[in-house]
Amino acid sequence: MDQNTQDLFENFIAVIDETVQLVYDIAQVETAKTEAASLRQHHLINNYVQQEQAQILQLRGLEQRRMRLVRDLGWDGLTFRQILDQVSLRQRNQMQPLFEELEWQVRQLQDSMDAAGSIIRVRLHELDVALAQQTGSSYDSSGNAGASAPLHSAMRDTYV
């Protein structure tokens, strides 16, 4: 492997490593958002959403770098598993643990996002019920709104 290819490979490994850490960080913010929502600390949620937005921009930047490196290394259009099939044993031994860690962190992030979404939907439903009681709207015995749309619909687009 020539020096340029080695440098590209090392940069690729660094990008994957940074991505693993960033996905972990996003999951931590998502978990904190879930806790804040479940404890009715709604004043904290906006800060967490702003943190996530900044992290997602970082993630997009890392993804662009990764795609550029993949193209330069001749792996354009390949999955991680296909890349592992094409590289030397030494490179595979370097990359496989990172790929597995990234896969695990992404699953953790998805679980965190699902939990946050669930608790926020519950809180929004509680808000609907409280607003309906204040405005005289009605909910049936199952907690479903009458003919009108949910009262928090503008908030749903912001936080869920």
Side-chain angles (χ1 to χ4, degrees):
M1 179 183 305
D2 67 21
Q3 187 58 44
N4 184 48
T5 304
Q6 181 63 33
D7 290 345
L8 290 171
F9 177 76
E10 289 173 12
N11 287 336
F12 178 77
I13 293 295
V15 165
I16 298 300
D17 194 43
E18 288 177 53
T19 303
V20 168
Q21 183 60 50
L22 186 55
V23 170
Y24 171 82
D25 293 344
I26 294 169
Q28 295 303 303
V29 172
E30 199 67 30
T31 298
K33 185 170 69 174
T34 302
E35 283 183 37
S38 67
L39 296 172
R40 292 183 168 83
Q41 297 174 333
H42 303 119
H43 60 283
L44 300 175
I45 292 175
N46 190 48
N47 182 46
Y48 294 134
V49 169
Q50 289 176 358
Q51 285 179 35
E52 283 179 320
Q53 289 171 341
Q55 290 169 324
I56 288 175
L57 287 176
Q58 289 176 318
L59 191 60
R60 286 183 184 156
L62 284 172
E63 180 62 12
Q64 288 175 351
R65 283 177 47 203
R66 185 194 65 78
M67 289 173 62
R68 189 171 40 253
L69 288 164
V70 162
R71 184 187 66 239
D72 293 346
L73 286 162
W75 300 332
D76 204 15
L78 299 180
T79 66
F80 285 151
R81 300 220 188 283
Q82 291 170 326
I83 291 171
L84 288 175
D85 289 340
Q86 289 195 356
V87 297
S88 70
L89 181 60
R90 183 184 64 75
Q91 291 173 322
R92 185 178 310 122
N93 289 338
Q94 240 181 314
M95 285 194 287
Q96 188 161 3
L98 279 174
F99 290 170
E100 289 171 358
E101 178 68 16
L102 179 58
E103 184 178 40
W104 190 82
Q105 290 298 341
V106 167
R107 278 195 310 268
Q108 293 298 108
L109 175 59
Q110 186 62 51
D111 290 347
S112 297
M113 291 174 68
D114 291 346
S118 292
I119 193 66
I120 288 172
R121 280 189 294 280
V122 167
R123 294 295 173 242
L124 289 173
H125 179 74
E126 289 174 352
L127 179 63
D128 278 346
V129 171
L131 289 172
Q133 289 172 349
Q134 288 181 353
T135 62
S137 298
S138 63
Y139 269 81
D140 64 20
S141 62
S142 300
N144 296 315
S148 63
L151 301 170
H152 70 273
S153 59
M155 291 174 54
R156 180 180 308 264
D157 292 337
T158 302
Y159 292 112
V160 179

